Structures are given as structure tokens and as C-alpha cells.
Amino acid sequence: MMENGNEPRIDVRSVVEAVSANDAVDAPLYEVESMCMRCGENGTTRFLLTLIPHFRKVLLSAFDCPHCGERNNEVQFAGEIQPRGCCYHMEVPAGDHKMFSRQVVKSESASIKIPELDFEIPPEAQRGSLSTVEGILVRAADELEALQEERRKVDPKTAEAIDQFLTKLRACATAETSFTFILDDPAGNSFIENPYAPSPDPTLTIKFYERTPEQQAALGYLSAPSQAEQANEGTSSVETTLPHGSIGATAGHRAIAQSNSTEIAENLFRYTAPEEVMTFPSTCGACTKRCETRMFVTKIPYFQEVIVMASTCDECGYRNSELKPGGSIPEKGKRITLSVRNVSDLSRDVIKSDTAGVKIPELDLELASGTLGGIVTTVEGLVMKISESLERVHGFTFGDSLGESKKNKWIEFRSRLTKLLSLEEPWTLILDDGLANSFIAPVTDDIKDDDQLTFEEYQRSWEQNDELGLNDIDTSSADAAYVSIDTAKA
């Protein structure tokens, strides 16, 4: 498909049809003629929309030039950007060649780091790819070595320094030395295989985080106005906008001043909590238009004060709600243990914060903090979310290269996880929250009478405080200010 005799014309409609296909399994293979960037002749690019089982829908593209032999492939994600970014830390010991065969999905927004070498592959250096740990390292070394002969002619010192670095990098790629492999993706669409799944991998740590404004902008989340301008707009709007429900409260205060009992009742009871529901302007995370966010502070019995926030966008219809803990940071962590014995236990309300880990000892299942984010659900809903999360995260569960024994292991685990909801035998649910912001509701009027539910407080370790960012908090200035205020009052 040529246009003007020298430029390729890609059949865009075919590519769009591939991306838009509902059934990725039966999606056809599309071929288009495109120009080779090495020799300038025409080669063939093949597109295939496929679904990596229990991971995500991806668009695979492969180019092949019959004239010069140039070949390359790329992975692009056809799904949505995840709510939070993800960061994988994997410790690779020397001599362990099995670690290098782990499959890695690297999106176009992900970066790869090896701290021991002070080495980083930025997102623009390697595009989205489906490879292994060894494949990524070898490719990086080959690309660095490609222009070494030209560098030696122009800048011998730089070429010599790169040669020394390549020796270290290839030592890592051949398992001669230990190193740390870090995969950081603000879009949350990257992945490193866990061969021990669904059990945790002792060498692999996964962290989920909120994106910074710069990362949001790089992913295309922000519109043309700068965030600073939007922040200034939001500040001025907050100053001139009355909180939602405060109209009724203001009228009630006026009625109290005028001693009009009829108007007091009419105005104050127009809203269930007239001064507690507030509305302030914000920016839609989907279309970047101005929208409204409502915030409500309430106290959950036997638990603590929480902040409920809900956002709605009239432009695109986006809706989002989340629950945040209120009050001060607890001095101790909390471990909640529930013995699930009957159907009523499955309907217990559960608040799982984004700092809580989940354990089910009967399945040898342990989810690190942040895996499911902060959710408000029931015991049954939590088990279902765990199942969905495992199927999404462990993307290569039923790939073509998976052995029959591992496949049977996964099928058996999913069957055991489903049986939890049938209550064929009692099981235990444990929420371990370093910030004590999680909760499981009792079924009795007095929480002390619920013998199936136990709460245990514990002292956080230095590592837990460091992971939560508590070791970096400096309150000396605030403490000094409070002391001076108390002294002045005295």
C-alpha cells in the first residue's frame, strides 16, 4: 500500500478494528505494509490484539523487513490506565539463572533501574515490550555497544568508560553478580512474573503509589492550563463557595438568633448533617474538566472518625468515591482476626485501608499492603476482590509456556478460594494494618461479646514506620508552638 510511490499508507481502519475487537481470543492478525527505518524499503508490520490471561488486553505489533533483515516488536496496552502506579523491586542473587527467565511486561511509560550500577532505562529508551529479565538486560547492553566503534574515533575516553560499564552490565545479565531489578510504571500497566503465585515471592516486592502531578501530565491526564493555575482557581473558588448544606445551617442560625422555633426545626432538619457535607471544586481525573467533590466526616461505631469523599463530573459522567481515615496517626498498629463460620459472617462490613495486608492462613495466602487499595465492602466482597486481583496481577498463569503441574496448582487454588464462600469448613480472615485504619464490624451489640472477632494492637517496627513515611515526620516546630501557646495562657 504505497502513496506517491515512496511513502507507506497504513490501513488505519484495520488497526482500529483490531483494537476495538470485543473478543480478543478470536481477533484476526492484521498485516500492513510500512517503511523500514534502516534501509528505507518496504517491510511488513503485523498487528494482533490479544488478552494476556488474568492480566490485560494488549496490542502486539511486529515488523519484518525482507530487504535488510531488520526486525522489532512492540507491546501497547489497549486498556485503561490504572488508578495508581506500581513499582516492582526484585532481588536477583548471583548464580540463580532461573530468575532471568521470568517474564516481564514493560509498558511504554515504565522505567527500569539497577541501583548497584547507577543505571536507568528511561521510558523513551525502550518502548513497550514483552520479554524476560535477561532479554531486557541483553538488549540494553547491545544497544549501548552498537555505536562503540564510532565513539572510539570521536571520544575515546567516553568509549572506554562505556566499555567498563558494559562489562558490569553483562556480568549482571549472566548471573555473575547480584543486583536489584526495579520496574517503575506510573501507569500501573507493567508486570513481573511471580512463579510462586499465589504465595508471595520472597525476592519480589510490589508497591502501589499515587502519581505525582508531573507523572499525571506525562500520561496525558492534565489539560492545557498548568496545574498551578488550576490550584489558584481552586483556592479562590473555595474562598467564595459555601459548603454544601451550609445554606440550611446559616438559615438555622438566623432562626435561633430570632428565637423562631418553627424555622429552627424547618431549617436545621432540612439536611441530616447541615454543616458536615462540604462541596469544593476539583479537576476530573478522566477528562480534566472542572467538577465537584463532596466531603463528609462521620464516626463509625467501635472504630474511628473517617472522611468520605465523592466526585462527580457532569462533562463525562465520571464518578469516584473513596474513604480516608480521620484523626491523628495511631501510635500502634492493629491486627484484626475473624473466624468465619456461618453465612452471617460473610455479610459483615469490612473497611480495608490502603495500608492493610490480608491473610488467609488456610490457603497460605498473603497480600501485601496496598494490593487492593482502600475499599469498603463485606467479607464476601473482599474474597471476590482478592480473586479478581490475583487473576489480573498474575498475568502468565495460563500462558502457552506454563507447565501442566503449575496450571493444575492454579486451578486447585482458585477452586479452594471459591469454596471459602460456600463455608464447607471454617476459615480465618486476618487484616494487618500498620496504621490501624481497618475494621471488621461485629455481629453483636457489644463488640466484646463477639467471640469470633479479635483485635490485637502491636508496636510497629522501624521498617514499617519507614515504609509508611513516619520516620521522616518532623513535628518539633509544631510542638514548640504548642508549648509557647500553653506557656502564654499560663
Side-chain angles (χ1 to χ4, degrees), residues 82-377:
Q82 302 305 306
R84 294 190 297 171
C86 64
C87 185
Y88 289 79
H89 286 248
M90 185 169 67
E91 301 293 335
V92 183
D96 190 350
H97 293 275
K98 292 183 179 179
M99 300 286 287
F100 291 86
S101 61
R102 294 196 183 198
Q103 300 191 66
V104 177
V105 175
K106 177 194 175 298
S107 77
E108 60 274 9
S109 60
S111 61
I112 295 175
K113 301 177 184 178
I114 301 179
E116 290 81 359
L117 302 181
D118 196 18
F119 176 61
E120 178 178 357
I121 304 175
E124 59 273 10
Q126 285 190 7
R127 305 185 68 179
S129 62
L130 174 60
S131 184
T132 62
V133 175
E134 181 183 11
I136 289 177
L137 297 181
V138 171
R139 179 182 173 185
D142 291 342
E143 291 178 350
L144 282 174
E145 194 176 19
L147 300 176
Q148 276 296 83
E149 295 301 325
E150 287 77 3
R151 290 193 189 98
R152 290 189 180 93
K153 299 175 183 178
V154 179
D155 191 351
K157 291 185 178 179
T158 301
E160 183 180 356
I162 293 178
D163 283 336
Q164 295 176 0
F165 175 79
L166 284 172
T167 302
K168 299 178 182 178
L169 183 59
R170 292 196 182 278
C172 292
T174 54
E176 296 178 11
T177 180
S178 59
F179 64 95
T180 305
F181 187 87
I182 300 177
L183 177 63
D184 191 349
D185 185 8
N189 282 326
S190 294
F191 174 79
I192 296 180
E193 179 187 9
N194 174 14
Y196 304 99
S199 301
D201 185 348
T203 63
L204 184 64
T205 303
I206 308 173
K207 292 184 179 180
F208 300 90
Y209 59 88
E210 300 293 335
R211 288 184 282 265
T212 64
E214 292 76 13
Q215 290 172 330
Q216 292 274 54
L219 295 173
Y221 261 64
L222 298 182
S223 56
S226 66
Q227 190 173 24
E229 294 174 356
Q230 293 179 352
N232 292 334
E233 285 182 24
T235 303
S236 60
S237 300
V238 171
E239 293 175 354
T240 58
T241 303
L242 287 173
H244 176 72
S246 63
I247 297 176
T250 303
H253 292 161
R254 188 183 303 113
I256 292 173
Q258 297 173 355
S259 299
N260 190 328
S261 58
T262 304
E263 291 186 7
I264 292 173
E266 180 181 353
N267 288 289
L268 288 185
F269 291 96
R270 184 182 304 174
Y271 303 91
T272 56
E275 290 183 306
E276 294 177 5
V277 180
M278 296 181 291
T279 299
F280 55 90
S282 60
T283 303
C284 176
C287 68
T288 72
K289 299 292 185 180
R290 306 296 293 178
C291 66
E292 286 188 345
T293 297
R294 288 176 173 82
M295 183 174 71
F296 176 70
V297 181
T298 185
K299 181 171 177 60
I300 298 177
Y302 305 115
F303 185 41
Q304 64 181 36
E305 187 178 80
V306 296
I307 302 172
V308 183
M309 302 182 68
S311 301
T312 57
C313 179
D314 295 333
E315 295 287 339
C316 65
Y318 175 76
R319 293 174 179 270
N320 179 49
S321 62
E322 55 183 324
L323 185 139
K324 299 288 186 181
S328 60
I329 298 176
E331 295 182 358
K332 297 182 178 180
K334 180 179 291 187
R335 186 178 295 106
I336 307 173
T337 304
L338 172 66
S339 177
V340 182
R341 303 173 185 171
N342 49 55
V343 177
S344 62
D345 292 330
L346 296 178
S347 60
R348 290 179 185 244
D349 292 328
V350 175
I351 298 176
K352 179 202 168 298
S353 76
D354 51 7
T355 58
V358 181
K359 297 180 183 179
I360 301 179
E362 288 77 4
L363 296 183
D364 293 328
L365 173 67
E366 180 177 352
L367 298 183
S369 61
T371 303
L372 299 176
I375 55 175
V376 180
T377 180

